Amino acid sequence: RRVTLVHCKSAPVSPTLPATKVAAVVRQKKTVHFCDTLEQVRLFLKTQKPSAVREGDPPPMPLELKFPNWPEKTVLRSNRDSMIRMESVQLENSGPDGIMLVGRCKVANLAFHKHVVVRYTTDYWKSYHEVAASFREPIGATANTWDRFTFEINVDQPCTLYIVLRYDVNDNEFWDNNGGLNYQVDV
């Protein structure tokens, strides 16, 4: 079905108002001005909540992560013989506690009871610390089933961390130490 549009020359293009009503409309325009002392510019990180800005705390200096010896992501995914694999780490602002290094790893689901530990050092293995990783979620696949674990490391100041992962299951111990190089993270 075809529709034909017809242009009518006699119809007004726009409505017209009497001059008194036009003047009344123009007078109703309002403007808002703020006192100069009320104006402040606050910068904050995406991870901060507006309440942190209201409290007047200046945002912490953004830290940057560098991964000098990490393998390419394709290598991380393709290491099929490993029972535990590092996935990623990132920085997160944890409010008053400071900055946290939050990481993810996955382990082969060999048994229900399993224990994942993250060992790290900030002084080139003169001393080390361990934190337990927490179960996050199962990762299903057709051939293998994996479980994802997450961990948190408090980062007080810029430093270099070396990280390794340990997986204890069925009286066996499996390690992911990046092929003997350890995972180096420069904060």
Side-chain angles (χ1 to χ4, degrees), residues 1-169:
R1 195 166 150 194
R2 230 175 198 191
V3 176
T4 306
L5 298 177
V6 179
H7 181 64
C8 179
K9 294 183 181 183
S10 63
V13 182
S14 63
T16 57
L17 295 173
T20 57
K21 288 189 178 181
V22 171
V25 171
V26 172
R27 277 187 242 133
Q28 289 180 353
K29 184 178 177 186
K30 297 180 180 180
T31 59
V32 177
H33 298 281
F34 292 99
C35 179
D36 291 337
T37 59
L38 294 177
E39 184 177 317
Q40 286 185 343
V41 176
R42 293 294 233 175
L43 301 175
F44 58 97
L45 302 173
K46 285 183 180 180
T47 57
Q48 283 184 309
K49 296 180 182 174
S51 61
V53 176
R54 270 184 283 156
E55 293 169 4
D57 295 334
M61 293 300 294
L63 297 175
E64 185 178 309
L65 288 181
K66 294 182 183 174
F67 309 97
N69 70 346
W70 282 49
E72 297 293 325
K73 287 189 179 198
T74 55
V75 175
L76 279 173
R77 285 190 222 120
S78 68
N79 189 359
R80 299 193 187 277
D81 297 333
S82 179
M83 295 292 132
I84 180 168
R85 302 179 197 166
M86 177 74 81
E87 288 188 303
S88 65
V89 294
Q90 64 187 26
L91 284 176
E92 287 188 10
N93 186 358
S94 62
D97 296 336
I99 304 293
M100 300 293 277
L101 185 70
V102 178
R104 295 185 339 175
C105 64
K106 64 182 184 178
V107 300
N109 188 10
L110 302 177
F112 179 77
H113 295 286
K114 55 185 77 85
H115 188 64
V116 178
V117 174
V118 179
R119 183 178 289 185
Y120 69 96
T121 182
T122 56
D123 59 6
Y124 305 99
W125 300 110
K126 292 177 186 170
S127 65
Y128 63 86
H129 307 276
E130 290 187 340
V131 293
S134 302
F135 175 78
R136 171 73 188 253
E137 61 198 357
I139 306 170
T142 55
N144 293 330
T145 303
W146 296 84
D147 287 334
R148 178 169 289 131
F149 282 73
T150 59
F151 59 90
E152 295 180 349
I153 299 172
N154 191 11
V155 180
D156 297 333
Q157 58 190 1
C159 62
T160 297
L161 287 100
Y162 290 95
I163 303 172
V164 297
L165 306 173
R166 187 181 79 225
Y167 173 36
D168 299 317
V169 62

